[in-house]
Amino acid sequence: MRIATLGIHHETNTFASNLTTLEVFQRSGLQTYGVQRGSEYIEMQRNAQTSLAGFLQAADELDFELVPLIFAATDPAGTITSEAFESLTGEALEMLREQGPFDGVLLNQMGAAVSEDFPDMDGELARRVREAVGPDVPVAMTLDLHANISQQMADQTDALVVYRTNPHVDAVPRAIEAARLVQEMARTGKRLHKWLEQPPMVIGIFQHDTREEPMKSIIDDLESVLERPGVASASVGQGYPWADVDENRLAIYVLHDDSETEARETAVWIAERAWRHRHELNVPLGPSPIEAVEQALATPEGDGPVVLLDVGDNIGAGSSGDSTFLLAEAMRRSVGSWLQTIRDPEAASACFDAGEGARVELEVGGKSDSLHGKPVRITGTVAKLSDGRFEDSGTVHAGWRYFDGGPTAAVETDAGPTVVLVSTRVGNMSREQFYSLGYRPEEFNIVVAKGVVSPRPAYQPIARRMISVNSPGATSGDMSHFEYKRIRRPIFPLDPAARYEPKPPSGT
Ligand SMILES: [Zn+2]
């Protein structure tokens, strides 16, 4: 049995101003994957904790041939250009036709991709793949928990399988589940009954951690229905709040052996229980940047740093990485033991010109747009220069392994803070980012991590306290900061009076 896999993996922040072009896909970035084809794709990911690694494991265990075609992934950022989408999809479909026929297809998607022509890019890709392979070849799609799941994605595939954890640490078992479903459908020729239910609500970004209530209850409900007879698979999509698309909302998806009615009833049961939590699932949490620094400084001494999560500058959700609201306060208060990154290629380059050990005076950060604060003046010593590449084979959010911050310079400022100037929008998902420069975040009093959940696997184990900071920026936790035009209305919390009526059974 031969099963193909391909993917165009992107989380698109439609409020971010930077377009995601073909060139952006081709160069290495936060995830340093670029565009991989054939066996190169396997080499890159065999030992990672990614969906592809799960497909490979499934191929070994379930004894089928996995044929990797193409995988394109790049950092979360603005809308994908039509050229990038058409070029990558065109190549994928050509490979599918030329290297086929296949007994099944595994689509390796993030699920919140938006292109200039297709707000539901993942659904459009699935539609074209279905058109290419015909109705009889089973197609499954694996998805990140932040997917915005559309009816088209459900209609054009035979199975959707979504991560169940955030931080995402279960890409491998979910990929194995998807592969198992495709193999079984290919073997028997049978299809499962599917249902997608979408209560009109989004989940506030501060409530996305699946280990904490009330999100934990939704996942517990999901896991409980898997015990019911006939439920073959079930998934929840949390949604990705910064995509202005029709299908941006909570999604519940169920596959049932016996009937659509039972798939629907199961999905509606989860959806109705989630709907009751809508208020607790939309609480903007956390202190302002100024209050957060105050709280961090007032935290009793102990092992490890206080970690400030810079929510408004969530690089992993498409933000610029150069927000200065926290740094400005640290500089104003001359905080002595403080470690953070700021994306500023210009300032990093000035440090390279000056050389290690040189004195510098720089304006850093706050340069990409008007959302992320003003540049901050720093004076200090260039303590370390590096190419910004580092690798982490441990448990990292979504299994990413290779990172590339571009030319990187650590500046130890006279005021106190240590500022690591990076050149790309590399996230703060791995402590190796600092170890590779000779710094141990464990030994600092305060460390800033830009993000909400993705830094947690790296920083929770060493932090004496984590503080989610309600900072401004392109990924602010407050949806009312943004102007939505395409999202289906009414929707909670933008429309507080929104009501939920389960979708009627098909054929009614
Ligand atoms: Zn995610």
Side-chain angles (χ1 to χ4, degrees), residues 42 45 80 90 106 147 153-154 243 257 264 266 291 386 429 466:
I42 292 185
Q45 297 193 42
I80 299 168
L106 290 162
M153 285 156 72
D257 290 330
R264 177 180 179 273
T266 309
E291 291 162 350
S386 99
M429 295 196 282
M466 307 275 287

Side-chain angles (χ1 to χ4, degrees), residues 207-486:
Q207 282 78 43
H208 272 219
D209 195 320
T210 52
R211 299 164 305 183
E212 290 175 12
E213 292 294 354
M215 196 58 224
K216 182 176 179 299
S217 296
I218 299 179
I219 300 296
D220 287 347
D221 284 351
L222 169 75
E223 290 184 336
S224 80
V225 304
L226 293 170
E227 306 295 318
R228 297 185 189 178
V231 175
S233 177
S235 286
V236 165
Q238 279 183 316
Y240 173 72
W242 304 288
D244 184 15
V245 293
D246 177 82
E247 65 272 15
N248 178 348
R249 59 199 53 230
L250 179 67
I252 320 291
Y253 177 86
V254 173
L255 287 173
H256 203 282
D257 290 330
D258 303 332
S259 70
E260 186 186 273
T261 306
E262 283 161 284
R264 177 180 179 273
E265 280 170 9
T266 309
V268 168
W269 182 80
I270 298 173
E272 283 181 331
R273 288 166 61 89
W275 177 250
R276 283 182 224 145
H277 288 299
R278 67 191 177 283
H279 294 280
E280 306 113 83
L281 283 164
N282 278 283
V283 184
L285 282 181
S288 71
I290 291 173
E291 291 162 350
V293 175
E294 178 67 39
Q295 288 180 14
L297 289 170
T299 303
E301 281 179 28
D303 285 342
V306 176
V307 176
L308 299 178
L309 295 165
D310 189 350
V311 173
D313 194 17
N314 184 353
I315 299 166
S319 191
S320 61
D322 73 341
S323 168
T324 55
F325 294 108
L326 286 164
L327 179 63
E329 185 60 10
M331 293 297 291
R332 192 183 71 76
R333 301 187 61 147
S334 297
V335 179
S337 181
W338 175 286
L339 180 65
Q340 77 164 101
T341 62
I342 287 274
R343 184 183 63 84
D344 192 328
E346 195 182 299
S349 165
C351 292
F352 274 80
D353 291 344
E356 257 177 41
R359 299 278 305 158
V360 283
E361 184 171 349
L362 303 160
E363 300 274 338
V364 303
K367 294 175 187 170
S368 53
D369 53 41
S370 58
L371 298 172
H372 298 98
K374 295 196 178 73
V376 170
R377 176 172 296 267
I378 60 172
T379 56
T381 305
V382 180
K384 180 86 186 167
L385 297 170
S386 99
D387 65 3
R389 289 181 171 264
F390 57 98
E391 185 181 338
D392 194 331
S393 54
T395 299
V396 173
H397 186 70
W400 304 120
R401 174 163 183 173
Y402 302 96
F403 299 86
D404 185 354
T408 294
V411 177
E412 295 179 0
T413 67
D414 300 341
T418 299
V419 181
V420 173
L421 298 165
V422 300
S423 298
T424 70
R425 293 171 47 247
V426 66
N428 299 139
M429 295 196 282
S430 161
R431 299 201 299 272
E432 294 293 337
Q433 183 170 39
F434 293 123
Y435 295 156
S436 65
L437 297 165
Y439 293 108
R440 291 185 57 76
E442 290 89 335
E443 289 162 9
F444 283 77
N445 186 31
I446 301 174
V447 174
V448 175
K450 291 176 178 291
V452 180
V453 173
S454 65
R456 288 180 187 265
Y459 288 100
Q460 200 124 35
I462 64 160
R464 76 177 191 277
R465 184 181 179 192
M466 307 275 287
I467 301 176
S468 291
V469 187
N470 195 5
S471 45
T475 54
S476 161
D478 186 347
M479 278 184 92
S480 66
H481 283 181
F482 305 103
E483 195 191 341
Y484 288 87
K485 293 182 182 140
R486 290 192 293 217

Side-chain angles (χ1 to χ4, degrees), residues 11 110 144-146 163 166 168 397:
E11 187 173 71
M110 189 276 145
D144 186 286
L145 191 58
H146 292 106
Y163 303 160
N166 188 15
H168 309 323
H397 186 70

Side-chain angles (χ1 to χ4, degrees), residues 146-163:
H146 292 106
N148 285 324
I149 301 176
S150 67
Q151 190 61 49
Q152 179 172 237
M153 285 156 72
D155 290 346
Q156 297 293 344
T157 57
D158 300 293
L160 301 175
V161 180
V162 187
Y163 303 160

